[in-house]
Every structure is written in structure tokens, then in C-alpha cells.
Amino acid sequence: MRVANRSPRAVIGTGLKYVVGFLACVWMLFPIYWTLTTAFKTREAILGSTPVFVPTLITFEHFRTIFSGSVDIQANILNSVLVAVAAVGIGILIGVPAAYALSRMDVPRKGDIGFWILSTRMAPPLAILIPLVGFYFAAGIGQGLIGLTVTHLLITVPLIIWIVKGFIDDLPDSLEESAMVDGCNRLQALRTVVFPLVAPGVAAAAFIAFIFSWNNYVLALYLTTGESATLPIAVSNSVGTYSIQWGQLGAAVTVTILPPVVLSLLIRNYLVAGMTMGAVKG
Amino acid sequence: MGAMIGLSAITERYRRSEQSLLNRLEISDRTLRWLFMLPSIVVLAFISIVPLVRAVWMSLHDWNLTSGKGAFVGFGNYETLLFGNPEFFRFEFDPSQPFEFVLSGSVVHQAVYTGLSVSIEVVLGIALAMYLFSLSERWQPIVRTIFVLPMLVTPIATALMWRLMIDGSIGVINYMLQFVGISPPAWTSSPVMAMLTVVIVDVWQWTPLVILIVFAGLLSIPESRYEAARVDGAPRWAIFRHVTLPGIKYMIAIALVFRLMRSFREFPLIEIVTSHGPGTATQIMNIQLYRTVFVGTGDAGLGAALGIVLIVVTVGICMSIVRRVGMMQ
Amino acid sequence: MASVTIEDVTKMYGSGDGGIVAVSDLDIDIRDGEFVVLVGPSGCGKSTTLRMVAGLESITEGTISIGGEVVNNTEPRDRDIAMVFQNYALYPHMTIRENIGFGLRYSSDLPADERNARVEAAAETMDIEDLLDSKPGQLSGGQRQRVALGRAIVREPQAFLFDEPLSNLDAKLRVKMRTEISRLQSELGVTSIYVTHDQAEAMTMGDRVAVLDGGELQQLAPPQEVYDHPTNRFVAGFIGSPSMDFLETTVERTGEGRILVSRSNETLSYALERSTADRLGIETGSDLTLGVRPEDVDVSGDPADRDRRTSFEATVDVVEPMGSDNFLTLDVGGPESWSARVDSSFVPEEGSQVGVAFDESVLHLFAADGRTLKSKGTGDGSYHGTEAIAA
């Protein structure tokens, strides 16, 4: 179509579309852009009376400070990784078989069990935390990473069960049946046919669960103290105690959001399924 | 060859053959299903049902986090919460001055915060999803990635980003507002503005989730349905009303469930941006719960009562939507 | 190879009053090397039956034996059977070679090189040697079908089970694969059970056809016998395309004979020889269903030149030229429209009046309960005799 043939209305419409799109993208991106650039700006550029939109002078000083200087968040990163990996690992270990059973096997009151698992994810975890803390102290764990990991299972297990169940539901039954007619028992059919085919789904579920565990703030707020603090706790603690070191804050935020953003983009095709516990297929 | 061997011979061959260990494990489906289910059920029972029952038990007692169980008080904690706790609910009205009344408390803040942010997110999310859907194949993947990004940011980081941008002295948004001649609002120091600020931050973070879900719904509407409507001469609004909207109704319900679920348990976005203030102006139920139990006197009995109320409200609302739209079948 | 015996088999889903009976008291004895087709409308229990033979469904009552051994509690993998699924169930993450060799790997202890030799032999039989190293996703529907068959034959099992294997193919390929499966089966001589809802497949492929409806066996017989001598009205209507023409009638007495009068239109009638009526024990006042195959309907342009007692007038609704012959859809004045298969040179105008006649010898008669009283070519009595075979 030639431009000359377009009606004025169509031209305005197209123009408007670009403007709306541009504004929406700015709205979505600017906070991230601003924080990322702040992490690389010099103190002068950050505190100057005119904001620097495109930093010309780039410094890694803030990253040095948070990794080896006065703040040192390395231990906190390690804590976060430990808790998330453990909670996701256990979640996969116990959640994937449960997902398979719920999807394929003749489990009595299957629907009710499924809904119950879903509802455990809906309940605000703080309400559950009050009595759990009592248990942890009684068990001698108290505040710390073990208690936090156990509590994070509340995040990872239902998530993994429902996401993986969705992926298994999508697989035709006849694949396992064929394998079982062809000489496998159910476990062997699972290993040779089902697992290889749902592996991407399991990976997606693991990544999503990792992100939710990594991002969690409120459980760690009470359950961790001092050196057991996870990254979100450490980052938030750096604010407000005395005058805020904005550059360090920007650097810490950058480090915090990097894993979830990278993982999410890796599983972008499964993101909707993951975020909705399998209710929406991407 | 193999065809000549009878069944018993085949079975015999099995016993002797060097099959993998897995294939020699004879576990019936009846056993296997419980082997598969039980670990998850046990773990989830231990970290959800047992604590829930205990939370109910605690809510019926005077219970302090450090000193432990006190006297049985029945529904005393619930009574205190509903009728004697201005942080939870406060309504003062003098009939002689009908225009000056006080309505506050975490329930009210929760209603305003959740109602406002979730409805803006749903409307904005549908609009932007449709915008995304209208884009050409060249731009769609790029814009989609951009539209998803805020959702991927750790909430605590989101809150800090916004603090950086609305800071009184170095906040870039204030600078931009002044640049176009608007005097910057008191972002976090006036009760009404503080609520609006946390709503804005929430909208920034979570509209992408609605976009993503609704967009998946738009993709699932078959092209032929639009074509049929166009052939029938339906105007654009009618196509939206009769083709698009029915096609994404289910997705909107799902988006609503996940947004409500998150909104009722929100914590870092508010706590970091406004510290639930000024005063308690942006304190929602989840934050009040935290502060009641884990900060200050440690009134676990009252906190448990508040937790039970919060669970009932959240699970009740979410499950009623889930069951109504028949999701997760 | 082996015989497959299904004895008094019942399958119930759920239990108690809420249970659903999927298969009821089924008896089918399949001889060694025989090809039996299970056919019926959806929900008739044919797939459930096949899956019980495979061991994928439990058996509520009765026994299934393969090669004389009861396999009720035998795992599918220990039954030495091969199954071809409707969606082929090829493993998408494995190559065609791995797909075909899968069963050998797990159900035999052949060394790898011998397994591979057999895979290649099977691929050659199915003419898919070139595809051995591709993945299922790269194959067309017809090729996938061939792989699925290859996967079955490589096992050299006691029995082949086919679960509607051709329903995902287009019409032309379906006909081609139909003959191919028949050829394969007769060459290998492996006992086969084939489930389909397509009566054309049932007619062309099976040594014997088992017609099922509502979980019950209606008839088990060679295809031609099922076609010519259906045991009841359901089988008569289900087998054959276009299906049999029916008229619901009541028997009335005329002077010397019996006359079948349409229950919905009194002017519509067909006279029956009295001797026939007596032989069949047809009583005046009883309800009978008259049936006639479309190819046995004799249509002529002039309604007048007919014996009015064994013919009636009809209006031509639609003429469908099929090339070799024409299908007519006729309105005979009853509730159900009739079909007739006529020579391609006979093209009546749509809406015109024609005469419809048929000889008593081609007539099928069904009692009120559906059981056959008389079938085609048996003018002197019912083929099936008087004893009811209908279940």
C-alpha cells in the first residue's frame, strides 16, 4: 500500500499507536534503566542538582563496595542461593512425582487434593509463619536458614506440582501406554518417555520456583538474623539506617534482579504457564 | 523366533534377563500412587495444615511470641480485632458534622489499595495486551519482552527503585515534573498521596502479569471468529464486545485471582516505599499482622486471629473465582 | 502366535449404583492368526475392550486369555502384544530407529546388533529405511503411521492390537493403508484385533467382524454374513453405506395374505406372501420393521408399471452422482428418508415421482425387539432361524 492512499484518519491512528507504544515502553523501562545507570554513576552525577540521564563517566566503585568493601553482600547472596536451591531441589524431588500421580494415576479424591495444594499457595504465608516459628524454636532450629528453607517449601512445592501437572496433562497418555505395552513398567516408562518430554516443563517450574524463593522478603525478614540474612533483607537493610548510598543501592538492586530476569528470559515461552501455575498455556 | 515362545517362556526370560534395576522393580500402581503423593502431602500438611490448626488454637488464647501460651480467651482476640483495634478498623462519625468522619484501619487500607491497584492493572493490562496483539510480527516479541520486564524485578528491588526516583532531594521524577511546571507531590508524607504512591508502584510491577495472561488469551482466539464477525459487518466495538471479550473472559478471571492473591499478602512494596506510613496510612492487613506479632509486644494471639481472618478472606475470594470459572480442572 | 479369548468380560467404571457399565458380558474368541475387527459407534465399548486385552484397563469381571493363559493380572509389558495407537504414540524425543527398537530393547534380551538388524528389516518391510534417523516431528501423517506399524511388527508379538489407527489419515491414504495392513497381517499371520468406528474398514479388513453397541456384542461373523444376515436391526442399520432403508410397520390381514402397513402413513404398505408370514410366525397386529438395502431398491421412472402391492411411490429429494452409480435420496412418505443405489444412466429429476419396488427375497424383517426374523436371500425362512441371537 502506498502512503498516498492512506486516509488522514489512518495516518493519525498509526501515529497514535506509535506514541502510545513509546510511552508504555518508557513507563515499563525507565525505572529499571534509571536504577541500572545509577549503579554505574559517580557520586557527583548521582547527587548533582541536574539528573544525568545518560552517564558519560562510568564507575564500578559501587559494585566493588558491595562485594568487597564495607557492605559485602556475598554471604547474603550465598544464603539466598542456598535456600532457593534447597527449596527448589526438594520441591522437584517430591513435587514432580506428585504432579504425575495427580495427572495420570487413580488417586482417590484427586480433585480435592489438587485444590488443597492450590489453596496452600493462596494463603498468605505470614499467617502460617506465626505457629511455624513456634515449631522451629521447639525443634531447636529457631531463626535461621533451615527454618527458612522449610518455610520456602510452601512457595516451591505447590508451584512445582501445579506447573508440572499442567505439562504432563498435555502429554498424550498413549505415549506411556505404548511404552508399557512395549515392555516397560510404569517407572521405566516414566524414565524413558515421560521425563525426557516434560524436562523443559520441569526446568521452567524449577526456574519459576527459584525466582519466587529468591524474591521472597517477608519470610526471611523474621526468620533470618545477622549473618543468615538473605539478599533482599541485606539490600533493604542498607536503606534507611543512615543516609542512603544511592550508588551502592543501585548496584545491589542490579545484582538482585539479575538472576530472576535472566532465568525468566531463558524460559520466556513457559513464563505465563509458570506465573499462573499452569492455568494458562503459553 | 520370538513369536514361537509362549507367554510363560517370555516371563521366564524376563526373570533371567539383565534388565535395568528400575524395570525389575515390581510396584503396583496402587502402591506407586501413594509413594508419589505422600511426600508432598506430608510436607504440605506439616507446613500448612498443622500450622493452620495451631494458628486457630493460638487465636483463641492470650499468646505471646516470647512468653508463650496464656489464658484461653475464646473469641476474645477476634472481638478485640474487630471492635477494639483502631489499627484494624476505625470509623468515627458525628451526626452533627456529617462531612467530617474518620474511616481507617488496615481493612480499609487493604480495600482501597487492592481495589484501586487491581482494577487499574486489569483495565490497563487488557488495553496493553490488545495493543501488543495488534503489533506486527517484527515488533511484537521486542515489545512483549519490554512489557514483561517489570514483573520480573524482585519486589524489594522495585520498591527501592521507586524510592530512588521519588526521593525528595535527588528524585528524577520530581525533577521531570518541575521541568514541565508541576510542583512535585508529597509522595510519601501525606496519607492520601502515600496510598496513591504505593498503588502506582504496584501498578508498575504487576500490570505486566495481566498483560501476559490476557495476551495468551488473545492468541488463543481463532482468527476465523474475527473474520466471521467482520463478514457479518460488526463494528469494532461490537467485535470487542462479542469476540474479544468472551475469548479472554477466562484469562481475566485468572489474572484477577493471581493479582488478588498477591495483593492480600503484599509487604515489601509498601513497607520499603512508605514504611506503612505516614503513621499507619498505608498499613494493610498483612503488614499489621507482621507488626503485631514480630515487632513490639509480640501479641501472637491477636496476630493469629488476624492471620485467620486474612486467610479466610484471601482463600475465600480466590477459590470462589477459581471454582466459578472452572479453572484448574 | 496365539489365540485371544475374551470370556464373560464386564468393565465397570466407578462402583455401586453410580457405576457406568462400559462393556457387558462380552464373549469373543479370536483364533490363532485371525483378524477380528471390533466395530461400533463411539461409546460402544470397543476401545475399552481392546485396552483390557492390552492390560491398560483392569477387568471388572470375566477373563481374558492370550495363548490359553489368563492374563487378567499380567502387566501390559508381560503380555507380549504390540499396539498401534490412534495418535501413533511415537516418542517425539527419539529417532525413528530408537522408536522402532524401543520394544525390543525392553521386552527382549537380544544383543544390540541383532536388534538393529531387526529394526532395519522392519523398516524395509514398511518402506521407511530412509527415515530411520529422523525424528517423528519431521514425518508426514502417513509416514508416522508406517513407523507405528514398524514398531509393532518388529516385536513379532503374539498379537497385534490396533486402536483406530487410520482415523487421523486423509481419505485416500486411509484406503491405501487399509490394504497395506491387511496384506501385512496375512503375510505375518499374527492374531490381530482392530478397533474402528468405520464400517468400511470393518467390511474390508476383518476375517470376522464383531459389532458392538452399548457395551454388548451384537454379532460376531464374517463381514459378508454381517452384511447379508445381520442379527438385529442395529447391526443392519450400522453396517452398510448408505445404510439400510427402514419402514416401521404393523401387520394387517388382507383376504389371502398379510400386509405390512406403515405406522405413520396408512397409504404406505407392502404385501407379504401368506406362506412367508406363516413360516416366520408373523401374527396380525404385531409391529415389524421392514428393511431393504439401497442397492436392492428397484427404482423406475414410471410409478404406474408396478405391482402396486409390493411397491410404492416416492419423491426424489436429491440425486448424488457417484460416477459408477447414482445415490438417490427418496421421500417415501414415512418419517425416515430412503436411499437407493441406481445405475449411473438413471438420472431422475429432483422432485419427480418415481416407483419404488423390491422383491420379497431381498427383504429384511425385524421384530419389535429388534431381532431379525428374515434376512436377504432367505425367502423360505429366516437365515438365523427362530432362536434369537441378539444379545
Side-chain angles (χ1 to χ4, degrees), chain B residues 72-109:
Chain B
F72 180 81
V73 293
F75 290 104
N77 282 319
Y78 293 93
E79 263 181 66
T80 309
L81 191 66
L82 296 173
F83 308 111
N85 186 315
E87 274 201 30
F88 185 72
F89 182 72
R90 183 167 165 225
F91 181 56
E92 282 162 22
F93 180 66
D94 180 359
S96 64
Q97 287 173 305
F99 298 108
E100 284 183 25
F101 62 89
V102 176
L103 178 64
S104 67
S106 60
V107 169
V108 177
H109 304 148

Side-chain angles (χ1 to χ4, degrees), chain C residues 45-60:
Chain C
K46 56 189 191 297
S47 275
T48 308
T49 305
L50 191 77
R51 291 168 61 81
M52 283 191 286
V53 175
L56 297 170
E57 301 273 355
S58 64
I59 299 162
T60 313

